[in-house]
Amino acid sequence: MPTESLFTPLAKAQSWVTIDYEGHQLKVPQGVSIAAALLASGVRHSRTTPVQGANRAPFCMMGVCFECLVEVDGVPNRQGCMTLVSDGLRVRRQLGARKLAPLCAEGDCDEN
Amino acid sequence: MKTKAVDLLIIGAGPAGMSAAVEARNNGLSVLVLDEQPGPGGQIYRNISNTDAQRSQILGADYSHGRHLAQAFLASDIEYVAQASAWQVTDQKQVHYLHQGQSRVAQGQRLLIATGAYERPMPIPGWTLPGVMTAGAGQILLKSAAVVPAGPVVLAGCGPLLYLLAVQYLQAGISLAALVDTSRHSDVLSGLRHIPKALKGWPDLQKGLSLLATLRKAKVKHYRGATALRIEGSAHAEALSFSSRGDEYRIACNLVMLHQGVVPNTQISWSLRLQHHWQNDQLCWQAERNAWGETSTSGIFIAGDGGSIGGAMAAQAQGRIAALAIACQLGRLDSSSRDKLVKPYRKALHRCMAARPLIDSLYRPRNENRIPEDNVIVCRCEEVTAGTVRSHVRLGCLGPNQIKAFSRCGMGPCQGRQCGLTVTEIIAASGNVSASEVGYYRIRAPLKPITLKQLAQQPNKNLNQELS
Ligand SMILES: Cc1cc2nc3c(=O)[nH]c(=O)nc-3n(C[C@H](O)[C@@H](O)[C@H](O)COP(=O)(O)OP(=O)(O)OC[C@H]3O[C@@H](n4cnc5c(N)ncnc54)[C@H](O)[C@@H]3O)c2cc1C
Ligand code: FES
């Protein structure tokens, strides 16, 4: 959970919203992405990998790497860097992924 | 829901897409622009319409320069859908995109792909640890969320963007623990070959030099010719160790930002099976284009860094050039007017591209940071190491698709965006063949995560056929 933050806001935000992250209420600036909000709130990792269960955190912030996957309002595998915060949003860590692969609802939809 | 039909359909509202849209609209075309960001600007001018004075000052003149273009773009009656992610593009010039949780379809008589570049992956030991991100990610946090490092940060790698971020952080009062620069002396020497041609692109070079001068003046610890970079830590980043000029260093830090240049985002162009070529100077794939930006599929154009890396000014010129060609193809402009109107843009493009060979050779990423040792993870999604890829090559896998089938490398949600170039280069180096012979992953829709429900609700179309 939120620890000493690696990031800090440059200036005081003008308006705020509150999101729920893993049961914690986080006050975050309006208009920023979920990934930015979590990083600025001291979240060090926001998902674990499907294979080794390793901790991961947002890496590219532009929709390329999928390291920012989180569960948003019950929907798994949303890209936290591409989704903006809004008041009351419920965000959870994405733990593993295989059964929740984003490209299909169930099973393994990969080719080959 | 009906399919939206326009003369020119553009994916991407960066400098290339916005310029093309403005030019096309000026010539009477109906234009629809889709972009997944919340506002126009692309990577360089991200969040330009919403930024404040403090950030404009930190980000510098090149950033603010984008304001005029974004204003012209927004002021015209170009149709523009923000937060629209293209997840499938067909050779019939149809784009399927997600917007507000729903999938929609747009149809263009002509299609322009202006999806820009992303950062080249830098697979070094420890690059998957929390606390490690790209320099571009650091800059995006600054541009779009006004969020900056709380403590000292280490920047590592090479390329103009790394220096730019260092200077922007200095402007913002952030302390830099170190700039660990992987570019080396011999690169500078080989770069010198290109100087006469490059002088024509002087402004770009001048900017690079002035960034370096600023860093020197601020007494930033700048380690040059760094090799053997390794991020240490178990649960998160704790230190960066490396050698520089014969000495070993270990810098304790919780935040490391990596960067070694940008490469064209070829996801859409590969998914369309357009003709691509390996470009050895820029160490990446480029879709084949003619002088107007038209690809191997007629009516589909590419402009900007999504085609080849040339920077924002080149992207703008290419956007204009493609739009003029399209206006002519659709009968809104005769070819002699087109040829007259295109002249200043060709000249501008030529000027921008003149400095490229020098920049490419100065900042050519090192082999060891592109083709890593066996224990380094190359596929971040499926956690596949370089060693596993090599063992499959030894067992007879000849190309990325076979490697993928056997090892799951490239099969995760990022669809190879983070490992594709690395895997091609590992296979090429192992078998001593060229990257062009090795080829790339077969990229297929959906290019962005989409749920079955969104798919099922999409208007028209045979889904099985689409996803096959
Ligand atoms: C992270 C990053 C930061 C950069 N910062 C700078 C900088 O500060 N200064 C500088 O000189 N150069 C910078 N560059 C280099 C950059 O490539 C510029 O040269 C310039 O932005 C290129 O313009 P473009 O129009 O070709 O593409 P871009 O500006 O990249 O625009 C492409 C647009 O396409 C959109 N897009 C991509 N895929 C999809 C899709 N599937 N669906 C919908 N929309 C999509 C993106 O959201 C983006 O807005 C940066 C590059 C990166 C990757
Ligand atoms: S941080 Fe890379 S996709 Fe979100």
Side-chain angles (χ1 to χ4, degrees):
Chain A
M1 247 338 285
T3 52
E4 197 190 335
S5 184
L6 295 178
F7 290 93
T8 184
L10 200 53
K12 219 169 151 40
Q14 309 258 304
S15 47
W16 303 82
V17 297
T18 303
I19 64 170
D20 178 303
Y21 178 66
E22 297 282 345
H24 299 255
Q25 302 297 304
L26 304 181
K27 201 176 141 201
V28 300
Q30 191 168 32
V32 307
S33 68
I34 294 175
L38 295 183
L39 288 170
S41 304
V43 172
R44 288 285 184 95
H45 79 275
S46 43
R47 81 170 185 113
T48 60
T49 57
V51 184
Q52 296 173 12
N55 292 347
R56 293 285 174 83
F59 181 72
C60 74
M61 293 300 292
M62 57 175 284
V64 174
C65 73
F66 291 71
E67 293 290 11
C68 58
L69 294 180
V70 282
E71 189 184 297
V72 181
D73 284 340
V75 183
N77 284 314
R78 297 288 307 275
Q79 282 177 288
C81 71
M82 303 301 288
T83 315
L84 300 182
V85 293
S86 59
D87 216 22
L89 208 69
R90 287 193 343 275
V91 181
R92 307 202 56 178
R93 280 198 182 109
Q94 183 67 49
L95 302 175
R98 182 78 5 241
K99 63 181 186 298
L100 301 168
L103 308 182
C104 55
E106 56 198 300
D108 189 347
C109 64
D110 290 322
E111 61 196 282
N112 306 311
Chain B
M1 198 198 321
K2 285 219 311 272
T3 300
K4 171 92 200 160
V6 289
D7 293 330
L8 174 57
L9 178 53
I10 301 179
I11 313 174
M18 288 192 293
S19 307
V22 169
E23 186 66 46
R25 191 69 204 102
N26 285 346
N27 285 285
L29 272 66
S30 60
V31 182
L32 170 63
V33 181
L34 307 171
D35 192 295
E36 61 188 348
Q37 289 191 37
Q43 297 309 340
I44 177 166
Y45 309 134
R46 182 180 279 268
N47 202 28
I48 186 76
S49 314
N50 278 319
T51 200
D52 50 37
Q54 183 191 21
R55 260 179 290 168
S56 298
Q57 198 259 326
I58 292 170
L59 291 166
D62 276 359
Y63 178 71
S64 300
H65 185 85
R67 195 165 286 126
H68 307 290
L69 179 57
Q71 275 165 357
F73 172 72
L74 291 173
S76 68
D77 57 353
I78 293 159
E79 240 189 293
Y80 160 55
V81 188
Q83 293 190 281
S85 290
W87 66 267
Q88 183 180 30
V89 181
T90 75
D91 55 6
Q92 300 302 304
K93 306 171 201 75
Q94 232 179 32
V95 175
H96 301 240
Y97 62 99
L98 274 170
H99 177 62
Q100 295 174 340
Q102 282 187 340
S103 184
R104 302 174 188 203
V105 191
Q107 171 78 56
Q109 286 209 56
R110 293 292 181 277
L111 173 68
L112 176 68
I113 304 167
T115 47
Y118 51 70
E119 289 170 279
R120 176 191 296 282
M122 187 163 162
I124 59 172
W127 74 307
T128 55
L129 287 169
V132 182
M133 54 169 50
T134 68
Q139 202 204 38
I140 290 169
L141 281 166
L142 170 58
K143 284 177 181 170
S144 65
V147 162
V148 291
V153 53
V154 172
L155 303 183
C158 59
L161 210 61
L162 194 69
Y163 300 149
L164 176 63
L165 181 66
V167 168
Q168 289 170 337
Y169 274 171
L170 285 178
Q171 294 282 347
I174 312 301
S175 100
L176 300 179
L179 175 60
V180 179
D181 197 331
T182 57
S183 50
R184 58 194 148 177
H185 249 62
S186 56
D187 293 334
V188 177
L189 293 178
S190 69
L192 290 180
R193 277 189 299 127
H194 300 291
I195 280 242
K197 230 167 115 195
L199 279 177
K200 288 188 244 158
W202 183 241
D204 273 356
L205 290 176
Q206 186 75 50
K207 274 179 210 159
L209 291 175
S210 85
L211 290 175
L212 280 171
T214 309
L215 296 174
R216 246 195 325 271
K217 241 191 268 160
K219 303 216 167 19
V220 170
K221 273 213 161 298
H222 190 166
Y223 300 89
R224 289 163 200 270
T227 59
L229 272 66
R230 193 172 74 244
I231 295 156
E232 296 174 11
S234 47
H236 54 82
E238 290 164 19
L240 175 72
S241 56
F242 59 94
S243 340
S244 166
R245 298 177 170 170
D247 290 317
E248 306 285 319
Y249 297 89
R250 181 179 188 279
I251 300 176
C253 56
N254 290 134
L255 187 58
V256 182
M257 293 183 182
L258 301 176
H259 178 83
Q260 52 177 354
V262 299
V263 292
N265 175 355
T266 47
Q267 263 347 74
I268 292 175
S269 55
W270 277 116
S271 77
L272 283 165
R273 310 280 178 264
L274 301 182
Q275 193 69 50
H276 288 72
H277 300 287
W278 178 261
Q279 227 282 347
N280 214 33
D281 290 343
Q282 298 196 341
L283 295 164
C284 62
W285 295 102
Q286 294 180 355
E288 189 177 295
R289 294 183 288 174
N290 67 16
W292 300 98
E294 193 164 13
T295 66
S296 54
T297 296
S298 67
I300 299 185
F301 291 71
I302 300 179
D305 277 6
S308 68
I309 303 304
M313 301 317 284
Q316 288 182 42
Q318 286 177 17
R320 298 273 177 181
I321 293 168
L324 288 169
I326 290 166
C328 180
Q329 284 188 357
L330 297 182
R332 309 297 164 82
L333 204 59
D334 60 52
S335 54
S336 64
S337 321
R338 176 199 63 187
D339 293 345
K340 207 166 114 213
L341 290 168
V342 83
K343 273 193 186 140
Y345 303 122
R346 286 224 185 279
K347 210 168 145 197
L349 181 60
H350 184 73
R351 203 173 139 76
C352 297
M353 295 318 269
R356 270 298 130 186
L358 177 58
I359 294 174
D360 291 341
S361 71
L362 275 178
Y363 302 119
R364 189 176 175 87
R366 281 176 187 270
N367 284 1
E368 65 178 43
N369 298 331
R370 307 193 324 274
I371 310 173
E373 284 176 5
D374 279 354
N375 58 353
V376 178
I377 288 181
V378 297
C379 169
R380 300 175 61 103
C381 298
E382 297 288 333
E383 299 169 281
V384 181
T385 63
T388 302
V389 173
R390 289 194 181 99
S391 70
H392 287 290
V393 174
R394 281 194 296 273
L395 290 172
C397 285
L398 296 172
N401 293 301
Q402 275 183 311
I403 298 278
K404 179 173 169 184
F406 286 101
S407 70
R408 300 199 61 87
C409 189
M411 218 183 247
C414 98
Q415 295 188 301
R417 290 167 174 93
Q418 289 296 313
C419 67
L421 290 174
T422 315
V423 167
T424 293
E425 286 210 88
I426 290 176
I427 301 172
S430 310
N432 212 4
V433 289
S434 68
S436 338
E437 283 170 81
V438 172
Y440 195 68
Y441 290 132
R442 180 166 278 259
I443 303 299
R444 309 200 300 182
L447 302 169
K448 297 275 163 177
I450 174 167
T451 62
L452 271 187
K453 189 166 160 223
Q454 289 163 335
L455 206 53
Q457 286 170 346
Q458 160 154 306
N460 66 54
K461 288 283 124 189
N462 177 337
L463 297 180
N464 287 334
Q465 187 193 326
E466 288 205 341
L467 292 177
S468 65

